[in-house]
Amino acid sequence: MQFRDLKKQYQVLKADMDQAMLDAVASGAFIMGKQVKELEASLAEYVGVKHCVSCANGTDALTLALKVWDVKAGDAVFVPDFTFFASAEVISLEGATPVFVDVDADTFNIDVKSLERAIEKVKAEGKLTPKVVITVDLFGLPADYDAIRKTADKYELLILEDGAQGFGGEINGKRACSFGDISTTSFFPAKPLGCYGDGGAVFTDNDEWAVVLDSLRVHGKGSFKYDNVRIGVNSRLDTLQAAILNVKFDAFKNYEVEDINKAADLYTEKLKGVVKTPIVPEGYYSSWAQYTITLENREQRDGLQAFLKEQGIPSMVYYPKPLHEQTAYFSLGYGKGTNPVTEKLCETVLSLPLHPYITEEEVQKVCSGIEIFLKK
Ligand SMILES: *Cc1c(COP(=O)(O)O)cnc(C)c1O
């Protein structure tokens, strides 16, 4: 059994995929070919924003957004403590200070009360200027944007939606990657919409920021490539990856998001009363980057993972450490007990195999394994 079966997806898409890759190579336009523009237009339309600017990966997408806003030393950027390292790394790379915020135990997303407390604390200390909140749509579920927007308005913060795992999710029909002042995603192969290498994109409705994003990703270009008006980076999406994504995006829209939701629902139905399953609030729709259950304690979680492995069932711990406990962030001086929900989740979560091509038999096998272990 595969955790996320990308080989199976390729077999299903093979005819169109092979043609698209051959066409891209034959065209000779390896950088910024027409496939890139096509992809950006269709992603912007799907998300429901004016601009999509593709780039080299999801981490760069976040960096580009922070650069547009001139985030720098002395700025505080709030970020959930329970997420992939990149969500915070980009803040430090710009010289700003990440402030780690606790999450909600049911949705795994940023807890708005903790956010308010963190902002108040930074203001009271008076050393840093609160500037941005990076929200993360963890495991495919959009964060609580109604509440986040209210808090952001109250404290005049910009919202950067890290939709690396969230692409395809919705709140009341409004799509993920449209909730931030700027939003980003990643096309890393295992993400909901992945390519065959690295890739990413930035989304915004703001015309001026879109121009700056387009400039920043090509060495701060001005009217043409050898006119450089600001310090930028080299962060473009390859034509080949765009061609691959154009094929994958059709499958994603037409059936993959629906199929992965059916598989997730099946897990939830079969695991009812057995273990704590992920919660999707009313009006929310997840793109299920991960299906994550919560066990009682670390011993039970680690025991279950080992038991499943013996049965040939892969599982993953996303994430084993709060960001504030990462060695790279020791110098910020956070201690144990800083964010209790995050600390507990890191000891108790387990993500199960899930992808649009998983079979009912496979889901059944995983659920039976969990039931047998927990009844022992
Ligand atoms: C994967 C991921 C990123 C980084 O994306 P890359 O394309 O790997 O650079 C950022 N944030 C979150 C939440 C992610 O899951």
Side-chain angles (χ1 to χ4, degrees):
M1 194 184 304
Q2 297 286 314
F3 187 71
R4 193 165 186 103
D5 200 339
L6 297 171
K7 284 189 194 157
K8 201 155 161 186
Q9 183 195 44
Y10 173 62
Q11 288 312 319
V12 173
L13 303 177
K14 191 173 187 317
D16 288 346
M17 189 59 87
D18 290 356
Q19 193 57 55
M21 291 193 287
L22 288 172
D23 289 349
V25 173
S27 78
F30 303 115
I31 303 286
M32 291 296 187
K34 69 175 189 339
Q35 291 90 336
V36 175
K37 286 283 157 233
E38 274 168 34
L39 177 73
E40 289 176 340
S42 51
L43 294 180
E45 193 201 340
Y46 174 83
V47 165
V49 296
K50 277 165 82 177
H51 308 283
C52 168
V53 178
S54 61
C55 62
N57 56 69
T59 308
D60 277 5
L62 292 165
T63 290
L64 289 168
L66 295 179
K67 283 189 184 300
V68 168
W69 292 336
D70 193 28
V71 170
K72 55 184 181 303
D75 292 334
V77 178
F78 301 87
V79 62
D81 204 8
F82 190 59
T83 178
F84 180 57
F85 189 66
S87 308
E89 182 182 27
V90 294
I91 303 165
S92 308
L93 205 57
E94 297 309 301
T97 303
V99 179
F100 303 119
V101 178
D102 213 355
V103 298
D104 181 275
D106 286 337
T107 64
F108 307 118
N109 281 327
I110 197 163
D111 176 67
V112 180
K113 285 204 188 79
S114 306
L115 173 62
E116 291 226 1
R117 276 199 298 274
I119 300 168
E120 288 290 356
K121 186 159 176 258
V122 166
K123 287 183 64 165
E125 283 169 0
K127 288 189 199 134
L128 302 168
T129 311
K131 187 128 183 206
V132 176
V133 54
I134 299 184
T135 57
V136 179
D137 302 333
L138 203 73
F139 303 153
L141 183 73
D144 181 0
Y145 287 101
D146 276 348
I148 292 165
R149 180 57 71 184
K150 281 194 196 108
T151 300
D153 286 350
K154 181 171 158 191
Y155 294 98
E156 293 177 36
L157 298 186
L158 290 157
I159 299 177
L160 174 51
E161 175 187 6
D162 178 354
Q165 301 180 16
F167 193 81
E170 297 175 15
I171 305 174
N172 296 318
K174 188 168 157 52
R175 290 229 160 93
C177 295
S178 72
F179 298 112
D181 295 300
I182 297 181
S183 304
T184 63
T185 198
S186 161
F187 305 124
F188 181 82
K191 307 282 167 153
L193 178 62
C195 58
Y196 290 161
D198 279 310
V202 189
F203 299 88
T204 187
D205 273 325
N206 186 300
D207 298 337
E208 273 170 50
W209 293 344
V211 171
V212 180
L213 287 165
D214 182 45
S215 163
L216 283 172
R217 72 172 158 174
V218 190
H219 305 289
K221 70 168 180 180
S223 56
F224 68 107
K225 193 176 163 187
Y226 301 106
D227 170 33
N228 305 93
V229 298
R230 56 175 65 80
I231 303 299
V233 295
N234 174 14
S235 186
R236 294 162 304 218
L237 182 72
D238 294 344
T239 303
L240 191 54
Q241 297 302 342
I244 288 158
L245 282 164
N246 282 328
V247 175
K248 286 227 206 175
F249 185 45
D250 275 337
F252 183 84
K253 278 187 300 191
N254 294 339
Y255 58 88
E256 283 188 355
V257 183
E258 235 177 279
D259 287 354
I260 205 164
N261 266 276
K262 282 186 201 147
D265 288 348
L266 196 61
Y267 266 127
T268 300
E269 190 189 306
K270 290 186 186 295
L271 293 175
K272 201 170 169 217
V274 177
V275 71
K276 185 170 191 259
T277 54
I279 287 165
V280 179
E282 183 73 32
Y284 282 63
Y285 189 68
S286 177
S287 57
W288 294 107
Q290 304 298 339
Y291 188 93
T292 303
I293 58 173
T294 311
L295 285 303
E296 301 282 330
N297 51 46
R298 186 191 288 274
E299 192 191 353
Q300 191 187 49
R301 190 268 310 273
D302 292 349
L304 173 60
Q305 184 170 37
F307 180 78
L308 292 176
K309 192 171 172 203
E310 281 165 24
Q311 331 269 310
I313 299 168
S315 63
M316 303 289 279
V317 175
Y318 296 124
Y319 293 91
K321 261 191 204 188
L323 290 183
H324 79 261
E325 282 180 24
Q326 291 290 354
T327 309
Y329 283 127
F330 274 1
S331 62
L332 289 179
Y334 287 85
K336 260 243 173 299
T338 302
N339 289 319
V341 177
T342 296
E343 287 165 31
K344 179 93 196 195
L345 286 174
C346 291
E347 293 179 354
T348 54
V349 288
L350 192 65
S351 300
L352 305 178
L354 181 67
H355 52 87
Y357 303 91
I358 199 167
T359 63
E360 189 168 344
E361 291 69 39
E362 286 174 312
V363 172
Q364 182 58 58
K365 183 176 173 187
V366 180
C367 295
S368 302
I370 295 169
E371 228 177 317
I372 292 164
F373 177 80
L374 291 178
K375 277 188 184 147
K376 277 208 286 196

